[in-house]
Amino acid sequence: MATGLLAATGKVPPASAATCGVLSSGAASQAQAAVTRACGLIGTPYSWGGGHGPTPGPSYGICDPSNGAPNDCNVRGLDCSGMVRYAYYLAVGADVIPGTSREQYQTSRAVARFTAGQGTAPLLPGDLVFFGGTASTIHHVAIYLGQGQIVEAPYSGGYVRVTALYNHGDYYGAVRLYGGGGTTTPPPSKVWVDTFANASVYASPTSTTPTGTLWAATNYVYCRVWGREVRNGSSYNHWWLLTDPDVGPARQYVSAYYLTRWGNDVAKDNNGNDIRNC
């Protein structure tokens, strides 16, 4: 029965009857549509490198025994990031999240980011959840459904399936591509942060040419943007904060690395609230 289905559709029935769908409320319509589209891919074969052609969708993968994919050039399917890319492409009609899982984590399209330390409480269906020890060693991505469940393309020889997020032992964090549904109170135009050292500012979050200086003090910032990493030893941050520096032109960016109160890849104000996205 399964062999006949595979020959006809390229899919096999999922190994379990786990529910695939939008399992909690609050997600944007685009995110909900991506969940529905991902659920429609249940049973699609995993293929390492599959889904990374010029147009999103199943494709033949790469045979590479060193990566646990000895036969994937003969398998037409999707790998983890190829599945995410294809689900969102089907949902919104545009190729909004190409690349590998590591590259997808760095996407500039993110409207919100969440750390593993926050658990699943802030997550909404359609959020992309990532796995790895650090941002530079992310190796897997899936789509969150709600209630602690994800849909994923798991590994060579496997098929797109539903499983629990914490079945993976190295959940790293999540990215949201579209704002949540419902209404929210508009954030203040300025929020206050403490910085521990004089910091160079830049015209953009990716620029490497300083344009001025923000002095160590209690300073105001407007919003945050994900950009290039600033690192010193084990301390690092990818968030950049729009501010008016003490020296140089207004509306420049300073790295959230210089925030006094918070850790790696965290950008909160002095009240402990996430700084809004620009």
Side-chain angles (χ1 to χ4, degrees):
M1 179 73 172
T3 301
L5 182 60
L6 178 58
T9 68
K11 298 184 181 182
V12 299
S16 70
T19 299
C20 191
V22 178
L23 302 184
S24 59
S25 61
S29 59
Q30 299 95 327
Q32 294 184 54
V35 167
T36 299
R37 291 295 192 169
C39 291
L41 299 173
I42 293 288
T44 300
Y46 179 98
S47 183
W48 190 61
H52 293 281
T55 300
S59 62
Y60 288 98
I62 301 168
C63 288
D64 187 349
S66 66
N67 279 289
N71 189 52
D72 287 29
C73 58
N74 299 308
V75 178
R76 186 172 184 273
L78 300 164
D79 66 10
C80 63
S81 50
M83 187 277 290
V84 165
R85 177 193 184 197
Y86 189 40
Y88 264 95
Y89 174 76
L90 293 174
V92 304
D95 190 10
V96 296
I97 189 72
T100 65
S101 56
R102 199 170 305 158
E103 291 167 341
Q104 288 178 347
Y105 180 73
Q106 304 290 348
T107 180
S108 62
R109 298 187 65 94
V111 300
R113 292 180 177 273
F114 307 95
T115 66
Q118 293 173 277
T120 61
L123 300 186
L124 294 174
D127 289 350
L128 308 188
V129 290
F130 294 87
F131 302 88
T134 66
S136 62
T137 60
I138 284 170
H139 60 88
H140 187 53
V141 61
I143 295 179
Y144 191 66
L145 302 176
Q147 299 181 15
Q149 300 295 300
I150 60 174
V151 58
E152 64 171 357
Y155 45 72
S156 294
Y159 302 87
V160 176
R161 66 178 186 178
V162 174
T163 191
L165 183 149
Y166 286 117
N167 280 344
H168 295 276
D170 58 349
Y171 170 53
Y172 182 75
V175 165
R176 182 168 298 154
L177 299 181
Y178 294 92
T183 58
T184 58
T185 302
S189 58
K190 296 178 182 178
V191 295
W192 296 91
V193 298
D194 291 338
T195 54
F196 64 81
N198 294 345
S200 295
V201 298
Y202 300 83
S204 79
T206 57
S207 174
T208 57
T209 302
T211 56
T213 304
L214 184 71
W215 293 334
T218 298
N219 293 291
Y220 65 82
V221 299
Y222 295 102
C223 55
R224 66 182 185 177
V225 176
W226 194 256
R228 66 177 174 85
E229 181 184 78
V230 172
R231 174 181 286 271
N232 184 9
S234 61
S235 299
Y236 61 89
N237 210 302
H238 289 84
W239 287 112
W240 289 79
L241 310 176
L242 182 64
T243 188
D244 299 320
D246 298 289
V247 178
R251 298 285 176 149
Q252 303 294 290
Y253 290 91
V254 64
S255 173
Y257 171 87
Y258 291 96
L259 294 181
T260 300
R261 306 185 183 202
W262 313 113
N264 295 335
D265 277 349
V266 177
K268 296 178 181 286
D269 64 23
N270 285 349
N271 294 320
N273 298 313
D274 284 332
I275 297 168
R276 70 183 180 96
N277 296 298
C278 296

